[in-house]
Amino acid sequence: MCQGNEIISSLPLQMSLYFNVFFFPFWWVSEVIGLQLKYPVLQDFYKFIIITIVILMTLIEIIRLYLGYMGNLQEKVPELAGFWLLSLLLQLPLILFLLLNEGIEILPLERAVHIVFTLFLTFEVAVAFMTLKRMVNHLATRFHMRQFDDVEDLRPVQGNRETNVLWGTGIKT
């Protein structure tokens, strides 16, 4: 059965988001410093690609963390689904590109922070999916229970002859 005040938000997801908020500025600073150090030795197209990825990831991460907080704490399915999609379809491929592409001259500090960022993202994608699934099932159950309650309210009262109506015909019995 579905309780009226049951909390569906995920504590592990919220903890991961909390730590991610503090880790992201460190990731950003290390990425900018690494880019500044290796910029002279990079090929021109890698310079453009890395700058574009850092700008995109910064914007996406701010939106993603906001959606994660709102979706999880307020138990809003669209926000949490947006968080999950941004994480899975945008952030994860971008960070994997930065982590695995040897043509961009990966520095040891960059490799370390990219691995931590990838672990955050992987954990958040998995936990957000399970939370979304649980949240949708809970909301569907609440919806069906409300429908059942509405049907109960339509039942005729025993002993009251005027409310004893055949359903859909308009004929009183």
Side-chain angles (χ1 to χ4, degrees):
M1 281 292 165
C2 182
Q3 298 283 334
N5 295 332
E6 185 178 354
I7 296 174
I8 304 300
S9 58
S10 171
L11 180 61
L13 178 60
Q14 196 60 40
M15 290 173 57
S16 179
L17 289 169
Y18 178 80
F19 293 127
N20 199 349
V21 166
F22 288 107
F23 175 74
F24 182 70
F26 176 72
W27 175 86
W28 191 84
V29 167
S30 67
E31 186 64 27
V32 169
I33 290 172
L35 181 59
Q36 185 179 7
L37 291 174
K38 64 184 179 181
Y39 196 78
V41 297
L42 286 175
Q43 296 175 4
D44 287 337
F45 63 91
Y46 277 128
K47 290 176 184 178
F48 175 76
I49 289 172
I50 293 175
I51 290 172
T52 305
I53 287 176
V54 170
I55 291 170
L56 278 175
M57 285 187 72
T58 302
L59 295 174
I60 293 168
E61 187 67 9
I62 292 168
I63 296 167
R64 189 183 76 85
L65 290 174
Y66 173 78
L67 289 175
Y69 263 88
M70 291 295 105
N72 191 38
L73 289 179
Q74 295 180 1
E75 298 179 3
K76 293 184 176 181
V77 173
E79 282 83 352
L80 195 57
F83 163 79
W84 185 73
L85 288 171
L86 285 175
S87 300
L88 185 65
L89 299 178
L90 293 177
Q91 289 293 79
L92 203 55
L94 290 174
I95 195 68
L96 288 175
F97 175 82
L98 292 177
L99 179 63
L100 301 175
N101 189 346
E102 293 297 328
I104 59 173
E105 306 293 330
I106 302 170
L107 301 173
L109 175 64
E110 286 181 315
R111 188 175 309 276
V113 294
H114 292 334
I115 288 171
V116 172
F117 200 108
T118 304
L119 291 174
F120 268 125
L121 279 171
T122 305
F123 179 76
E124 289 169 356
V125 164
V127 174
F129 179 76
M130 291 184 291
T131 303
L132 265 171
K133 188 175 173 184
R134 194 172 65 238
M135 201 177 287
V136 167
N137 288 338
H138 177 74
L139 289 174
T141 303
R142 275 188 20 200
F143 174 77
H144 291 300
M145 294 301 283
R146 284 187 184 159
Q147 294 296 331
F148 182 69
D149 288 344
D150 290 343
V151 170
E152 289 290 323
D153 292 340
L154 294 176
R155 279 194 173 169
V157 179
Q158 297 223 351
N160 188 350
R161 193 113 174 113
E162 289 184 22
T163 59
N164 193 6
V165 176
L166 294 175
W167 291 62
T169 61
I171 302 172
K172 295 183 181 178
T173 59

